[in-house]
Amino acid sequence: MVTRGVVRSVILLLLPLMMSARLFASAPAGGQSTNSYTPRYHTMAHEILDIESGALPVDDSMFMLLDDILDDAKESIGSQPAPCDREGARRVLGTIDKILIKHNFVYPGKGCTVVYLRDALVAETIEPSVIRDILTQPKNRRRKPVIDISLPIHEADCDTTSFIYLGIGEILGFPMSLVEVPRHNFTRWTFSDGSHINWEANYGGVVDDQEYKRDFGVSQDQYDRGIYLQSMTREEVLGYCYTLRGYALEDRKQYSAAFADYERAMQLYGKAFWGYYAHALMLATADDRRVRDGKKAVALAKKAAAIDESAWVLDALAAAYAESGDFDKALDCEKRAWKLDPTDPIFAKLCDAYAEHKTYVQYMKEAAARGEDPQTEECPYRKAVKH
């Protein structure tokens, strides 16, 4: 899952990076699917790829790999566990984990993020020494003995891996769903008696609700309101994906299309902050002044904050207040964001900017003129990746 602490550093920076030679070296321009291959399946994972093709290059190889993984799952898993067979469900989930490892799927290297399913399905040719370094991460410990470093790898994180699980679950009739907690997603298997197990794809194991609550700071109120730790519907998963596609469209300055995706995200996944937050951020920080609307951005950011008053949402609300001319409230919100996440230096810099009555856009333009990059450093090995 991409967060606002990473939205400034991943969405607004890694997306331009992902539109560089790293991801698009062998893809056509224009963010269009050029498939001549007819997929053997039609699952939620395939639908997510179709959504992404509206903004990013999606080619035959991605659908072919997805289909190959589903074929392997059908062959390896066989019969469905009984309705309340918890050990059978664990066995199935563990088998899927092994299938992905067999296809050279790893957790991304330190400091790197995978945003889209199409990125996880891209074959990356990296120097073996770099792959060895990636495999030292704890989340790759079980993968290290199996991964073939002489072959291309596939980097996938919590949500992109879970999308593949959902696709497998769909063709085999398994009761799987996507679940969200702050900054993270995982897969859930729900039994006929209403109980469930949570599968942590990053580590390849079962984690209970209370551990997720504790580790990711889910409040009882957020749980009771169904914001976090609840099984997402198909429509909600697609709404989540429309938010991500909106980021890519916005980065290309296709603001009308991004607006439409954020609106759709709010309709499909309205209990989450993502659509409100992303739309507010665009209205507060877009390069094109004709797109910016501080008052509307404030209204949308307030809705996001009512759902999850996190550092990145407060940061977006601060940018919205600044764009509307209310710098006192902007400074107050940014200070609160900084207090929640004192490790992100951008919050401190924006506090100074709002204290000087500068908007987010003004601050970024001045930083760029000074040759500064106030957002983040590039993933350390991305430039070496070939496809």
Side-chain angles (χ1 to χ4, degrees):
M1 161 60 75
V2 186
T3 66
R4 178 48 170 138
V6 186
V7 166
R8 198 182 299 279
S9 56
V10 171
I11 297 303
L12 297 182
L13 190 63
L14 283 187
L15 280 179
L17 174 61
M18 290 192 302
M19 292 180 182
S20 69
R22 174 189 176 253
L23 291 182
F24 293 171
S26 60
Q32 300 297 320
S33 172
T34 59
N35 297 335
S36 58
Y37 169 75
T38 301
R40 297 189 292 276
Y41 303 99
H42 181 73
T43 69
M44 184 184 297
H46 292 75
E47 191 168 352
I48 289 168
L49 275 180
D50 283 335
I51 290 172
E52 293 176 358
S53 72
L56 300 164
V58 173
D59 61 36
D60 288 345
S61 67
M62 300 168 193
F63 283 101
M64 292 171 69
L65 175 58
L66 182 57
D67 281 355
D68 287 345
I69 291 170
L70 299 185
D71 282 342
D72 283 356
K74 287 179 68 175
E75 182 178 347
S76 301
I77 293 170
S79 60
Q80 179 169 340
C84 289
D85 182 2
R86 300 179 74 86
E87 288 307 312
R90 286 174 183 249
R91 173 184 58 78
V92 168
L93 293 164
T95 300
I96 297 172
D97 184 60
K98 289 182 174 64
I99 290 169
L100 291 175
I101 294 174
K102 184 186 76 171
H103 282 275
N104 258 24
F105 275 74
V106 301
Y107 187 79
K110 187 175 181 181
C112 305
T113 304
V114 179
V115 180
Y116 297 99
L117 177 58
R118 56 92 52 213
D119 300 336
L121 298 173
V122 167
E124 299 181 333
T125 300
I126 307 176
E127 288 294 327
S129 60
V130 178
I131 300 178
R132 291 191 191 97
D133 183 63
I134 293 172
L135 292 175
T136 62
Q137 290 205 89
K139 293 174 184 176
N140 285 325
R141 187 173 294 131
R142 73 191 185 285
R143 300 179 171 107
K144 186 175 181 179
V146 182
I147 295 298
D148 187 342
I149 63 173
S150 68
L151 297 176
I153 63 168
H154 297 273
E155 294 182 276
D157 54 12
C158 59
D159 52 354
T160 50
T161 305
S162 293
F163 294 154
I164 299 174
Y165 274 79
L166 294 180
I168 294 172
E170 193 169 346
I171 63 166
L172 294 178
F174 297 145
M176 295 183 191
S177 56
L178 186 70
V179 182
E180 184 170 19
V181 292
R183 307 175 301 284
H184 188 59
N185 302 86
F186 58 88
T187 306
R188 172 172 290 169
W189 184 301
T190 303
F191 301 101
S192 58
D193 63 0
S195 64
H196 63 259
I197 58 173
N198 302 321
W199 183 256
E200 180 51 56
N202 287 346
Y203 285 101
V206 172
V207 177
D208 65 32
D209 285 2
Q210 292 306 313
E211 187 172 346
Y212 278 121
K213 270 188 176 182
R214 181 184 67 248
D215 292 349
F216 291 90
V218 178
S219 70
Q220 188 62 43
D221 176 65
Q222 289 172 329
Y223 180 80
D224 291 341
R225 287 191 288 154
I227 295 170
Y228 293 125
L229 272 174
Q230 304 299 319
S231 297
M232 294 166 63
T233 66
R234 186 185 189 96
E235 289 73 21
E236 288 170 341
V237 174
L238 297 181
Y240 173 92
C241 294
Y242 277 114
T243 302
L244 295 179
R245 189 177 76 172
Y247 290 138
L249 291 166
E250 181 183 345
D251 187 73
R252 290 185 169 195
K253 305 189 188 306
Q254 297 177 12
Y255 295 115
S256 295
F259 172 89
D261 273 359
Y262 296 151
E263 287 288 331
R264 189 174 301 182
M266 288 185 282
Q267 292 170 4
L268 294 175
Y269 194 24
K271 72 180 184 183
F273 72 88
W274 289 105
Y276 307 107
Y277 157 79
H279 196 175
L281 195 64
M282 181 178 74
L283 293 173
T285 66
D287 290 340
D288 190 336
R289 61 180 179 80
R290 295 169 297 180
V291 175
R292 296 198 299 275
D293 185 333
K295 290 184 178 179
K296 188 173 181 180
V298 168
L300 288 165
K302 282 183 175 180
K303 289 183 179 180
I307 296 170
D308 187 345
E309 195 174 278
S310 56
W312 54 92
V313 172
L314 287 170
D315 175 53
L317 181 56
Y321 274 129
E323 184 61 31
S324 70
D326 195 335
F327 290 99
D328 289 340
K329 288 184 179 178
L331 180 57
D332 176 67
C333 285
E334 199 65 41
K335 284 181 176 178
R336 289 158 61 196
W338 188 16
K339 185 176 181 180
L340 288 173
D341 185 5
T343 65
D344 193 335
I346 189 66
F347 296 147
K349 294 176 181 179
L350 286 170
C351 282
D352 292 339
Y354 298 149
E356 297 172 3
H357 288 199
K358 295 176 182 177
T359 66
Y360 173 87
V361 173
Q362 289 173 324
Y363 163 72
M364 292 298 291
K365 286 182 178 178
E366 291 178 2
R370 294 192 298 268
E372 299 176 3
D373 181 356
Q375 300 182 73
T376 188
E377 293 182 359
E378 181 181 312
C379 181
Y381 62 86
R382 290 302 196 204
K383 290 181 179 179
V385 176
K386 298 178 182 178
H387 301 281

